[in-house]
Amino acid sequence: MLQNKFISGSQLKWIAIITMFLDHTAKIISFQPPIIAAVPYESTNEPFYEATQAIFTVCTTLGRLAFPIFCFLLVEGFIHTSNRNKYAFRLLIFAFLSQIPYSLAFSHQLFDFRELNVFFTLLIGFLVVMGLDKFKKFSFKNVFYSIGIVALGVELAEWLQTDYGGNIDVY
């Protein structure tokens, strides 16, 4: 049976990276207090200011596509990887490496672990899926374990203040 692929995993990654770049660029430029304060039209209704706000909205809206795509790719990685522990370890390494530019961009510090980047959220999600995989055979006991694993993952993401955290809301 032939499978027609509409879009490859690599193409999906690039779409996610580009939309994430748009989102982060808009947020970094928009929320920089020195830049906002230096803009003379900041509090007026001039067309250029309104246009920049419209561009910000478009970029952040497109940027919301990145997280669900990365989650999908994470599950694909879970299914197809030969070693899930190494996969989780690589996520952890990238989470720590990504924290430096994330901290510099959003808190202007080299290391700021008060808010963690999305790789930590993805790592927690991966660990939750690993835990759920252990209890995939249906039984009432396994259902309760699975609910506990998901709740633990949500609470951990909230407690660590990861990007997106346990909050399902994407705005």
Side-chain angles (χ1 to χ4, degrees):
M1 184 170 160
L2 287 174
Q3 259 187 328
N4 291 333
K5 285 189 172 184
F6 179 71
I7 199 162
S8 72
S10 181
Q11 291 167 325
L12 268 177
K13 285 178 197 171
W14 278 107
I15 291 169
I17 288 167
I18 291 167
T19 58
M20 179 182 62
F21 176 78
L22 288 172
D23 178 69
H24 286 15
T25 302
K27 287 181 178 176
I28 291 167
I29 290 171
S30 177
F31 293 132
Q32 298 291 341
I35 293 173
I36 297 279
V39 177
Y41 54 84
E42 187 266 329
S43 62
T44 66
N45 288 327
E46 291 190 27
F48 184 72
Y49 176 72
E50 291 174 10
T52 59
Q53 291 307 300
I55 291 169
F56 171 80
T57 302
V58 168
C59 288
T60 56
T61 301
L62 288 173
R64 301 295 91 188
L65 292 172
F67 185 69
I69 293 172
F70 282 129
C71 289
F72 171 77
L73 293 169
L74 183 82
V75 172
E76 285 288 307
F78 176 83
I79 292 168
H80 298 291
T81 189
S82 61
N83 189 329
R84 292 176 180 162
N85 291 329
K86 283 185 180 178
Y87 194 101
F89 183 71
R90 285 191 301 268
L91 280 172
L92 180 66
I93 296 298
F94 277 106
F96 279 108
L97 290 175
S98 301
Q99 189 61 29
I100 296 169
Y102 183 84
S103 296
L104 287 170
F106 293 109
S107 68
H108 309 288
Q109 297 176 12
L110 187 58
F111 295 105
D112 183 6
F113 288 98
R114 290 176 291 176
E115 290 183 23
L116 300 177
N117 68 68
V118 74
F119 267 106
F120 287 99
T121 310
L122 293 172
L123 173 61
I124 292 168
F126 189 81
L127 295 174
V128 165
V129 174
M130 280 178 70
L132 292 175
D133 191 54
K134 302 283 186 206
F135 299 103
K136 63 184 172 187
K137 185 175 179 179
F138 180 77
S139 73
F140 288 111
K141 184 170 110 176
N142 287 352
V143 169
F144 286 114
Y145 284 140
S146 297
I147 291 169
I149 289 168
V150 170
L152 183 65
V154 168
E155 287 303 314
L156 182 61
E158 281 296 307
W159 182 67
L160 292 175
Q161 294 190 9
T162 63
D163 201 8
Y164 291 96
N167 190 358
I168 304 302
D169 183 18
V170 293
Y171 288 101

